[in-house]
Amino acid sequence: MKIFLLEDDFSLNKVIKNSLQNKGFFVESYTDGYKAIDVVINSKYDLYILDVNVLGFDGHKVLEVIRSEDKDVPVIMISAEIDIENIKKSYSLGCNDHIKKPFDFEELYLKIQYLFSHKISEEVTEKVDLGYEFAFDLQEEKLYKHEHEIDLTLKEKHLLTLLVKNINNTVTNEMIHEYVWDSKEMEAVSMRSIVHKLKKKLKNGMIINLRGVGYKLIYQK
């Protein structure tokens, strides 16, 4: 997952960036709105974390630019402001969530997990090409090879759905726990078992293990 972070407090910026990277995310961070606007216009990210009060264009202006280009990408606003009107503005401009500073990193991480795990692509109407003559129907959660359906268990369907939605990006163990097991109690061996079974139904090397972090579904043209 590629995350854009705008936070003008250098110390907090570093803490958030390092913490997210330790969770397996790819993070690009910025401290001023002028640079942020330039990057947002010319690049795409899977999620944006925006501080409201920054130098140059503030977080609200950056949010406006993001929404002018993409109505669905998740955006989390962070601010020390307690003014309810400021919070209302964030939501009226289209943010998905708002966190008041100071906050615990786990709170931010839980919100990111939720947004990623529940993000459904409404634009997908066809099978997703996975390479090696495999395809996956996201709406029906069905795996095909040479147009022949491959049987999947319910949890294999959920896991592959999550991996396909995040193709070529890291899916953390926590994201899998949330999405496939609905955060219910499970043993680590259960996750490894489902991943192993799914790997056997795909070509060797399509799903790679990122030790201690999670997994990634690789697609190469």
Side-chain angles (χ1 to χ4, degrees):
M1 282 295 173
K2 188 178 180 182
I3 296 178
F4 176 96
L5 170 64
L6 173 62
E7 168 57 62
D8 66 349
D9 183 315
F10 288 92
S11 296
L12 181 57
N13 187 304
K14 185 176 180 180
V15 168
I16 294 175
K17 181 176 182 177
N18 289 343
S19 297
L20 288 174
Q21 287 179 332
N22 288 337
K23 292 289 189 179
F25 297 107
F26 175 78
V27 184
E28 291 185 349
S29 65
Y30 302 89
T31 56
D32 73 86
Y34 292 122
K35 178 63 176 177
I37 287 289
D38 182 59
V39 173
V40 165
I41 291 174
N42 294 289
S43 304
K44 297 292 183 182
Y45 296 84
D46 298 302
L47 179 139
Y48 295 81
I49 302 171
L50 309 175
D51 184 13
V52 173
N53 297 309
V54 296
L55 294 174
F57 293 103
D58 65 15
H60 285 147
K61 182 60 180 177
V62 177
L63 174 57
E64 286 186 88
V65 173
I66 292 170
R67 284 291 175 249
S68 69
E69 298 293 328
D70 191 328
K71 301 296 184 183
D72 300 315
V73 64
V75 179
I76 297 175
M77 305 298 290
I78 54 179
S79 174
E81 293 282 348
I82 59 173
D83 181 7
I84 191 64
E85 293 303 318
N86 204 18
I87 297 174
K88 283 182 179 179
K89 184 175 182 179
S90 293
Y91 283 106
S92 69
L93 291 174
C95 80
N96 297 86
D97 214 328
H98 191 288
I99 303 178
K100 183 183 179 302
K101 294 191 286 187
F103 55 84
D104 189 291
F105 171 73
E106 284 302 314
E107 178 186 0
L108 174 62
Y109 181 54
L110 286 171
K111 291 178 181 293
I112 291 173
Q113 278 187 286
Y114 179 85
L115 289 172
F116 277 151
S117 297
H118 292 77
K119 181 183 178 184
I120 300 175
S121 176
E122 297 178 352
E123 298 177 356
V124 176
T125 57
E126 301 177 351
K127 298 173 187 174
V128 178
D129 178 19
L130 305 182
Y132 305 106
E133 300 182 322
F134 286 98
F136 187 68
D137 187 322
L138 274 170
Q139 292 183 328
E140 300 293 333
E141 291 191 320
K142 292 181 178 179
L143 176 65
Y144 297 89
K145 184 174 184 182
H146 303 300
E147 298 300 323
H148 297 291
E149 184 179 350
I150 299 173
D151 289 335
L152 297 174
T153 66
L154 181 60
K155 281 187 167 48
E156 287 171 354
K157 289 180 179 181
H158 292 344
L159 175 59
L160 188 52
T161 295
L162 183 61
L163 289 168
V164 170
K165 286 180 180 179
N166 300 286
I167 198 163
N168 287 331
N169 290 300
T170 300
V171 173
T172 66
N173 293 327
E174 290 84 357
M175 290 168 67
I176 296 174
H177 185 203
E178 161 73 21
Y179 192 88
V180 180
W181 275 267
D182 198 26
S183 295
K184 295 177 182 177
E185 186 175 347
M186 52 154 267
E187 296 182 2
V189 67
S190 298
M191 184 183 299
R192 291 196 297 269
S193 175
I194 296 298
V195 173
H196 177 70
K197 291 176 181 178
L198 185 56
K199 281 183 174 182
K200 292 178 68 175
K201 297 179 180 181
L202 296 167
K203 182 177 175 62
N204 185 41
M206 288 180 69
I207 297 178
I208 63 173
N209 179 15
L210 304 173
R211 188 176 298 276
V213 176
Y215 301 88
K216 182 185 293 188
L217 176 64
I218 301 296
Y219 171 64
Q220 295 179 335
K221 294 183 178 180

